[in-house]
Amino acid sequence: MALLTLDEAKRQLDIETTAHDVELQLYLEALAPVIEGYIGPVENRIVTETLTSHGASLCLRQTPVVSLTSLTPVLDGGAALDVATLAVDTVTGVITRRDRFLFCPGPWTAVYVAGRGTVPATVKLAAAILLQHLWRTQYGAARGAVGGGDDYAVTEPVAGFGYAVPNRVLELLEPYKMPPAVA
């Protein structure tokens, strides 16, 4: 699953030839890290990470969570817990035990799938607009108004994104924004 296919990108940019396909593929590959930096994983991926217990819960770092594959204590060669005995909040990544017992301090190894399963339409549109914005930079001032007349102008940097991501993209992604992290 990709945020945008090559054909979708070419339609967005009104490109009808294959002359820019290699360069365009580089732009397409650059979209996911930018968008996922704001809303978390979009494309499903298997994640393996080491966690420390907080007593009643464990917290996965990459959300949203599609499914939990395994949860195994690292010390003493412990056996994996039956994932059917665990509850996973797919939005926050918090794992709790259905029997309400506490987790031993750990560490624990969690294997899970993070992502969204499908790309929501607004995320796909945000990716298309971001692609169009980034693609236009290769032409400089020759292909657009300078000094704020450009519909894709980013006049104020957004915290953490600089000038690379237009506000319209961030507004489309807002409903999917990651919850604040807990330190």
Side-chain angles (χ1 to χ4, degrees):
M1 170 184 66
L3 288 174
L4 292 176
T5 66
L6 183 60
D7 286 340
E8 290 169 331
K10 290 168 85 170
R11 276 194 304 275
Q12 179 72 20
L13 300 173
D14 293 326
I15 295 174
E16 296 178 1
T17 70
T18 59
H20 300 288
D21 284 4
V22 172
E23 182 182 12
L24 191 52
Q25 193 60 47
L26 176 67
Y27 280 75
L28 289 172
E29 291 169 9
L31 295 176
V34 174
I35 289 177
E36 290 182 349
Y38 192 69
I39 67 170
V42 176
E43 300 172 343
N44 287 359
R45 66 188 58 136
I46 296 172
V47 179
T48 301
E49 65 186 20
T50 302
L51 310 171
T52 303
S53 170
H54 299 286
S57 64
L58 295 165
C59 190
L60 302 172
R61 291 182 188 93
Q62 294 191 40
T63 59
V65 176
V66 175
S67 62
L68 179 64
T69 306
S70 68
L71 184 64
T72 310
V74 174
L75 301 178
D76 302 325
L81 297 180
D82 179 0
V83 294
T85 66
L86 305 171
V88 180
D89 183 317
T90 59
V91 175
T92 65
V94 173
I95 304 170
T96 55
R97 294 177 63 141
R98 293 185 193 280
D99 59 14
R100 299 185 190 232
F101 286 119
L102 300 179
F103 289 101
C104 64
W108 293 84
T109 299
V111 179
Y112 61 101
V113 177
R116 297 189 184 315
T118 60
V119 180
T122 53
V123 172
K124 192 172 271 293
L125 178 59
I129 293 170
L130 179 58
L131 170 68
Q132 192 167 3
H133 172 74
L134 295 173
W135 187 256
R136 291 171 61 122
T137 62
Q138 71 180 345
Y139 297 110
R143 295 239 357 232
V146 178
D150 184 353
D151 194 36
Y152 291 90
V154 181
T155 57
E156 295 295 325
V158 177
F161 292 98
Y163 291 94
V165 181
N167 289 334
R168 69 178 59 210
V169 170
L170 296 176
E171 288 171 4
L172 286 168
L173 297 175
E174 185 66 27
Y176 305 98
K177 189 168 129 180
M178 287 188 295
V182 177

